[in-house]
Amino acid sequence: MAAKVQRTLDTDVLILGSGGAGLFAALHAHQAASRAASPLSITVAVKGLLGKCGCTRMVQGGYNVALAKEDSVERHFMDTIEGGKWLPDQELAWKLVTLAVERIHELENELGCFFDRNPDGTVHQKAFAGQTFDRTVHKGDLTGIEIINRLAEQVWARSIQRLEEHRAVELIKNASGDAIAGVLLIDMRTGEYVFVRARAVLLATGGGPTMYKYHTPSGDKSCDGLAMALRAGLPLRDMEMVQFHPTGLLAGAHTRMTGTVLEEGLRGSGGFLLNGKNERFMAAYDPRGERATRDIVSRAMFSEMRKGNTTPHGGLYISMAHLGPERVRREFKGMVERCADCGFDLAGGLVEVVPTAHYMMGGVEFGADCATELPGLFVAGEDSGGVHGANRLGGNGVANSTVFGAVAGDSIAAWLPGREHRDPDPAALEAALEACERPFRKPAGGGGSLEPVREKLYDTMWERVGIIRDASGLRAAQGELAALDAELDAHAMPDSSRAFNLTWHDWMNLKSLVGVSRAITAAALAREESRGAHFRSDFPQTGSLESSAFTSVRASPAGLELVMKPVAFTRVRPGETLLEDAA
Ligand SMILES: Cc1cc2nc3c(=O)[nH]c(=O)nc-3n(C[C@H](O)[C@H](O)[C@H](O)COP(=O)(O)OP(=O)(O)OC[C@H]3O[C@@H](n4cnc5c(N)ncnc54)[C@H](O)[C@@H]3O)c2cc1C
């Protein structure tokens, strides 16, 4: 029997995801509508519980913003462009650094966040690696909880609808295919299919490179937004740029704590990285030592691990004791406790660490107003691409999601007048339902555990599409990923119940991850140079910065199509700077 939509809802604005991007968008769209005295119905649909899921809540280190008198937005901009190896879209990066100042004031003065302060009352800003100024605003080392709790309270206090534990599964266009009509979701609690018709949709599901063996993002993230955007025919840029955080906790295969991040500030404040023989090694790879950018430190660590200089669990150590255990306990309370939970003494001893997949610089191509190529569809946060280029500075992630979330809310409110609801293409809706139903249509014999698929995906992405890549490994990965996709398509659900069927959702997670992994692999194969987070051992040099181009991949009936598009140097060219004192 054909699957059917069991519930239909109409809303003006549908926001997918409740991280920094989704919640800021909801608040700003609501505020803009109130100002214009033309109320909007705004709905936030989220795979988890609003305020309790996603990665913004997990932000530890903090938020980059040029607040200090001696700092400037130009300096923040230059750090972002140079850190991103001249690949960022300069208009997006400029918007990031200038609007971060507004957003941090809004977070403090309107939303009620308390950030750490200096004795003179100014906001404390700490050092983060790869930056020329200490500009990271924070709340101890658990900044994201402060931000998300305050944002969630404000959303709860307003007439903003919530669809919690509702998973978006497909972006549905109108019959002519030239605009978005709404989104097909699954109510995870009941298993019902829900179609939400919306005049505008924001994609803010937060990317999340959870296809790698070691990864930091929250378990609800499986690149669903990017997979949906690909299926909708949208271009994704910079997909080869996957950031590995150097210091993932390594506590053994039995615990999900393995892979979770120990914050950047540990290295920023002077922490040492040691190999299995207790030797510091970073100086051999970069003169900045442990304070080099994440890509360099992760690559150095991976190389050291490949040489076999490893700890009992096969990683390396971070050591903080030389800074004084009391200071470490005071400044990194959350990290000390996290390590203690896994049997490590961060303040006075050694902690095992491994590079861990942390962030995707790549995402949906978008304009400075957060609009995508598909009318009515907007994007913000980690689902979007182009702000960070080849490398994201620590502290620019939450700035990105909050800045562009707010931009999206404002832009959507400004875009809506005169735009009506569109009806969904019935054939597209039916195809999306059938795609979800696929594992229930297979003969029961095709079932079994999905763990082997996940393990194979982890291995392929870690070994072949990870920190160090080459053409033969990437080509092998293409074959392996195609085989995994086919394996998933043949998989049968052992249980026919749709209500809270976590195996079914896991199957969908893996489908999204494999689809997006194929886009990462295609982009990595196309970039025949090494730059930022992307390192090709067969092309170790960085090409000409003047002719910088970004990868743009989109799905077509013939497969993935990849083109290189030139970067427009709209504000500054390689070799130049916006800093007067350095010019
Ligand atoms: C451990 C950790 C520490 C970090 N520390 C820092 C830091 O110190 N500084 C910094 O700048 N950045 C940091 N980051 C990065 C930062 O968290 C992200 O850049 C940013 O907050 C992402 O915001 P977002 O709104 O795009 O996504 P998220 O906050 O991840 O939100 C995504 C939302 O989408 C929902 N969702 C996912 N799939 C679906 C679906 N199919 N349907 C409906 N909803 C869906 C999720 O449930 C979630 O609510 C850190 C990340 C991690 C993982």
Side-chain angles (χ1 to χ4, degrees), residues 339-371:
C339 292
D341 285 346
C342 295
F344 293 117
D345 175 10
L346 178 67
L350 298 175
V351 179
E352 283 188 70
V353 289
V354 67
T356 178
H358 187 46
Y359 189 91
M360 302 172 77
M361 276 71 80
V364 180
E365 285 180 38
F366 74 120
D369 59 354
C370 293

Side-chain angles (χ1 to χ4, degrees), residues 147-166:
I147 292 177
I148 280 293
N149 284 356
R150 301 293 82 80
L151 281 171
E153 285 161 4
Q154 296 298 329
V155 168
W156 287 326
R158 287 167 176 73
S159 54
I160 293 172
Q161 283 88 252
R162 309 196 305 260
L163 293 173
E164 293 175 293
E165 294 182 322
H166 278 63

